[in-house]
Amino acid sequence: MKVLVIGGGAREHALCRSLSLDPEVTALHCAPGNAGTAEVAESHPVDALDGAAVARLATELEADLVVVGPEAPLVAGVADAVRKAGIPCFGPSKEAAELEGSKAFAKDVMAAANVPTARSYVCTTAQQIDDALDAFGPPYVVKDDGLAAGKGVVVTDDVAVAREHGLACGRVVIEEFLDGPEVSLFAITDGETVLPLQPAQDFKRALDGDEGPNTGGMGAYSPLPWADPKLVDEVLETVLQPTVDELRRRGTPFAGLLYAGLAITGRGVRVIEFNARFGDPETQVVLARLRTPLAGVLLAAAEGDLAAHPPLAWRDDAAVTVVVASHNYPDTPRTGDPIEGLDEVAAQDGPDAYVLHAGTRLESGDGGDAVVSAGGRVLSVTATGKDLTQARERAYTALGRIRLAGSQHRTDIARAAAGASEG
């Protein structure tokens, strides 16, 4: 099988790594990719938002499967263009991807499907924003209706901050605050059959102790020792399957990766948001635990044959990933800094710990090619172990070998969960 992965972040490096380990994959390509994906896949320059260009590349490569990683190309209809060219594509249509592209649309789908979620108002005027904030009270949850790379949500006790964010968004969803721990649950679906993966938890805030601004995610872990063993079955029955059924009923079937961001509240499971693609950084830990070869299940979803696919097999290992971010992230990050120590991790920590590249690129110089930072989140240091304690020890040991001027990372990823599992 020849596979083309679209995107250039740590999620795509994780996908490429898993696909490269699949014996059925005979050729692996990534466009545009990064310095890490280039180690396991052939890189190709492409505008990931240009459906015609992506479809043309897939045709030239004679790809048997295209996997669209990021949300923006999906919302732009890239998967539609690939399918129109006659090539199986893992990723929802433009219409179905509105589940992530518009939070108001997602709320409408959830209401129709009777999916439990936070009460909310869609606001487009200053008066509507003021009324909604007044109705819910603090803590205020204000979400940009459109795509915002994981940074369009403000949760604050300061009404002035909440109002300012709402006014800056144009169209905004204001909703009640959901208490309780958060869980990310992915599901692979062909628009009818839904195959849930293992749950993970990510860390959105930039600083230890869940302080600082929201980010695209600073780390993640799986499994969740504190979660109800019946959680996956419950979410499949009350959230994932009803949502897929409702989108099919509307004539816009969702085939691809459905990501449910959940809050485990005192009143039960509630959906915080839907995404239309693998989440970053949760993909890094979920795929680290997946024993089933990846290409076959993605192709089955793309071709509508998921019901015939065998159940997924999982490793007993735990996995932890820690994000290394650039100086000044999530504001305007500094880029172009050299990254050192990657060879040391590969030599001393593999295969239990490894580095997945996010914002990196190769820079040619007199001494040969060097890896430099090229984005806000630069690396995901990922490790597995017999339990969360061992996995996080391995991840942080590997991270300690990496040198990137001005970089930042959280030191508490999975710490509480590891302590709980030991207790």
Side-chain angles (χ1 to χ4, degrees):
M1 192 190 304
K2 298 176 183 176
V3 183
L4 169 61
V5 176
I6 302 300
R11 161 188 46 232
E12 287 74 41
H13 192 180
L15 287 165
C16 284
R17 180 181 182 275
S18 290
L19 290 165
S20 73
L21 298 173
D22 187 335
E24 293 296 315
V25 176
T26 53
L28 182 59
H29 304 269
C30 190
N34 59 39
T37 62
E39 297 175 3
V40 293
E42 184 178 346
S43 299
H44 302 270
V46 76
D47 179 354
L49 296 175
D50 186 339
V54 172
R56 192 161 51 246
L57 175 62
T59 301
E60 290 170 1
L61 296 174
E62 298 180 336
D64 301 300
L65 173 67
V66 175
V67 180
V68 181
E71 60 273 25
L74 292 168
V75 172
V78 168
D80 302 280
V82 172
R83 279 190 281 268
K84 189 176 180 181
I87 300 170
C89 184
F90 183 80
S93 66
K94 178 178 181 177
E95 290 81 4
E98 275 297 285
L99 202 62
E100 177 170 4
S102 168
K103 292 175 179 61
F105 175 76
K107 288 290 188 182
D108 184 64
V109 170
M110 283 187 275
N114 201 28
V115 169
T117 186
R119 293 180 297 118
S120 63
Y121 296 100
V122 179
C123 306
T124 55
T125 68
Q127 187 60 55
Q128 289 174 341
I129 289 170
D130 290 340
D131 291 345
L133 293 173
D134 190 48
F136 287 129
Y140 303 102
V141 181
V142 186
K143 299 180 176 182
D144 190 332
D145 180 55
L147 295 180
K151 295 181 286 243
V153 180
V154 164
V155 181
T156 179
D157 288 325
D158 189 329
V159 69
V161 171
R163 187 174 192 273
E164 181 183 15
H165 181 66
L167 291 172
C169 290
R171 191 179 195 214
V172 69
V173 174
I174 297 175
E175 62 184 38
E176 66 175 327
F177 177 76
L178 296 174
D179 64 318
E182 295 185 14
V183 174
S184 299
L185 184 61
F186 302 162
I188 293 171
T189 177
D190 58 5
E192 190 164 351
T193 300
V194 181
L195 205 58
L197 306 187
Q198 289 290 300
Q201 186 174 59
D202 76 331
F203 294 75
K204 288 286 195 298
R205 298 286 187 170
L207 306 175
D208 284 4
D210 291 328
E211 299 290 334
N214 259 344
T215 71
M218 295 298 291
Y221 69 93
S222 179
L224 312 182
W226 48 267
D228 188 329
K230 298 177 182 176
L231 176 64
V232 173
D233 290 340
E234 179 188 346
V235 175
L236 175 62
E237 182 181 340
T238 63
V239 174
L240 299 170
Q241 192 70 59
T243 300
V244 169
D245 291 346
E246 172 61 19
L247 286 166
R248 188 175 69 253
R249 186 192 68 77
R250 293 179 177 216
T252 55
F254 187 106
L257 195 289
L258 178 57
Y259 164 134
L262 309 164
I264 314 301
T265 77
R267 295 172 292 147
V269 174
R270 297 289 185 272
V271 175
I272 300 170
E273 64 175 353
F274 282 124
N275 290 337
R277 38 72 193 182
F278 281 101
D280 179 356
E282 299 97 322
T283 302
Q284 288 85 302
V285 292
V286 172
L287 291 186
R289 300 186 57 225
L290 180 64
R291 189 185 297 277
T292 299
L294 184 61
V297 67
L298 299 187
L299 182 63
E303 294 186 327
D305 295 330
L306 207 52
H309 194 278
L312 298 179
W314 296 92
R315 296 183 176 89
D316 293 331
D317 287 359
V320 172
T321 193
V322 184
V323 170
V324 178
S326 294
H327 174 71
N328 204 39
Y329 177 77
D331 293 323
T332 305
R334 190 175 75 204
T335 60
D337 290 314
I339 303 167
E340 299 177 334
L342 298 174
D343 291 342
E344 296 170 36
V345 174
Q348 300 183 51
D349 301 292
D352 298 317
Y354 48 89
V355 179
L356 297 169
H357 292 233
T360 68
R361 60 182 168 83
L362 287 172
E363 192 170 84
S364 298
D366 295 338
D369 288 344
V371 180
V372 301
S373 61
R377 292 185 296 168
V378 182
L379 305 168
S380 289
V381 183
T382 306
T384 56
K386 68 179 188 297
D387 54 26
L388 287 173
T389 297
Q390 186 179 59
R392 73 183 305 272
E393 284 175 355
R394 287 173 171 173
Y396 280 107
T397 296
L399 188 151
R401 306 188 201 281
I402 295 170
R403 297 174 295 282
L404 171 61
S407 67
Q408 54 179 313
H409 65 272
R410 284 184 57 159
T411 65
D412 61 348
I413 303 300
R415 179 193 288 158
S421 63
E422 286 178 350

Short mmCIF file of all heavy atoms in Angstrom, two decimals, residues 10 36 99 115 138 167 235 332 412:
data_model
loop_
_atom_site.label_atom_id
_atom_site.label_comp_id
_atom_site.label_asym_id
_atom_site.label_seq_id
_atom_site.Cartn_x
_atom_site.Cartn_y
_atom_site.Cartn_z
N ALA A 10 3.43 17.32 14.72
CA ALA A 10 3.75 16.12 15.50
C ALA A 10 2.70 15.03 15.29
O ALA A 10 3.01 13.84 15.33
CB ALA A 10 3.90 16.46 16.98
N GLY A 36 11.26 15.68 11.00
CA GLY A 36 11.08 14.36 11.58
C GLY A 36 10.40 13.38 10.63
O GLY A 36 10.84 12.23 10.50
N LEU A 99 -18.32 20.05 11.78
CA LEU A 99 -18.45 19.64 13.18
C LEU A 99 -17.34 20.26 14.02
O LEU A 99 -17.53 20.56 15.19
CB LEU A 99 -18.41 18.11 13.28
CG LEU A 99 -19.02 17.48 14.51
CD1 LEU A 99 -20.51 17.78 14.62
CD2 LEU A 99 -18.79 15.97 14.51
N VAL A 115 -27.25 14.50 22.25
CA VAL A 115 -25.94 14.27 22.83
C VAL A 115 -25.73 15.24 23.99
O VAL A 115 -25.96 16.44 23.84
CB VAL A 115 -24.83 14.45 21.77
CG1 VAL A 115 -23.46 14.49 22.41
CG2 VAL A 115 -24.92 13.34 20.74
N PRO A 138 -19.62 33.54 36.27
CA PRO A 138 -18.29 32.96 36.22
C PRO A 138 -18.28 31.50 36.71
O PRO A 138 -19.17 31.12 37.48
CB PRO A 138 -17.49 33.86 37.16
CG PRO A 138 -18.51 34.39 38.13
CD PRO A 138 -19.78 34.51 37.35
N LEU A 167 -16.03 39.81 21.75
CA LEU A 167 -16.15 40.87 20.75
C LEU A 167 -15.13 40.70 19.63
O LEU A 167 -15.39 41.03 18.47
CB LEU A 167 -15.98 42.24 21.41
CG LEU A 167 -17.11 42.68 22.35
CD1 LEU A 167 -16.73 43.95 23.10
CD2 LEU A 167 -18.42 42.89 21.58
N VAL A 235 -19.55 6.42 26.12
CA VAL A 235 -19.39 7.52 25.17
C VAL A 235 -19.75 7.06 23.76
O VAL A 235 -20.35 7.82 22.98
CB VAL A 235 -17.95 8.07 25.22
CG1 VAL A 235 -17.72 9.13 24.14
CG2 VAL A 235 -17.66 8.65 26.60
N THR A 332 3.89 35.14 20.23
CA THR A 332 4.66 35.06 18.98
C THR A 332 5.95 34.28 19.25
O THR A 332 6.87 34.81 19.88
CB THR A 332 4.99 36.46 18.46
OG1 THR A 332 3.78 37.21 18.33
CG2 THR A 332 5.68 36.38 17.11
N ASP A 412 4.92 18.57 34.80
CA ASP A 412 3.94 17.81 35.58
C ASP A 412 3.00 16.95 34.73
O ASP A 412 1.95 16.52 35.19
CB ASP A 412 3.11 18.76 36.44
CG ASP A 412 2.30 19.78 35.63
OD1 ASP A 412 2.56 19.90 34.40
OD2 ASP A 412 1.44 20.46 36.21
#
